[in-house]
Amino acid sequence: MRYRVLNKNWQYNRVYGRGKSYVHPHVVLYVAKNRVGYTRIGLTATKKVGHAVQRNRARRVMRAALSEHLSQNIGGYDIILVARGQTPHLKSTQLSKTLGKLFAKAGLPDLAKPAAPAPNNPEPAQ
């Protein structure tokens, strides 16, 4: 398992209150640094998203998309993903592209982001 789960109400409230939010029509990303040294994740889908089937699908799609981007050594962050109305109708690959953009905005290390290529023309030795 790459991350742990936010499971207390006060943990969510701390991230909502002190963290930074990044909004997209597909999903909202909240990020806050923590002092525990490992990453904790929270996935939420309110009743505005739909009935239980749609909410469960939204969380499942978010979990699949997040697994492509979350590196094991990301550091101490609390991350919350909030589903929006379009989330249950998306494929995980579509949401993965959105998460890539939001991770870049937030300055989080991205596992799916390709590393910077090495220069092709090394300087000649003199």
Side-chain angles (χ1 to χ4, degrees):
M1 182 177 230
R2 291 186 181 161
Y3 54 83
R4 298 194 178 143
V5 180
L6 291 171
N7 54 6
K8 303 284 187 210
N9 191 30
W10 64 268
Q11 294 171 336
Y12 279 89
N13 289 335
R14 183 187 158 278
V15 177
Y16 289 139
R18 294 185 186 170
K20 187 115 172 76
S21 64
Y22 303 92
V23 181
H24 191 274
H26 298 159
V27 70
V28 180
L29 174 71
Y30 288 91
V31 180
K33 286 286 275 181
N34 66 28
R35 295 184 182 177
V36 294
Y38 51 82
T39 302
R40 296 183 295 191
I41 300 294
L43 302 174
T44 61
T46 63
K47 287 189 177 182
K48 289 181 182 180
V49 173
H51 295 292
V53 174
Q54 284 86 18
R55 292 194 305 268
N56 289 334
R57 173 164 169 72
R59 284 190 291 268
R60 191 169 55 246
V61 168
M62 287 190 298
R63 193 176 301 117
L66 187 64
S67 68
E68 296 177 16
H69 292 279
L70 196 59
S71 176
Q72 192 161 1
N73 57 0
I74 192 173
Y77 288 99
D78 289 338
I79 299 172
I80 297 177
L81 288 175
V82 180
R84 301 197 87 177
Q86 297 177 5
T87 308
H89 305 293
L90 297 173
K91 302 270 187 205
S92 63
T93 55
Q94 293 170 317
L95 191 61
S96 179
K97 291 177 186 176
T98 300
L99 279 181
K101 293 175 187 175
L102 291 177
F103 269 43
K105 264 189 189 178
L108 294 173
D110 192 353
L111 185 65
K113 183 179 174 183
N120 291 340
N121 301 339
E123 294 181 24
Q126 294 181 9

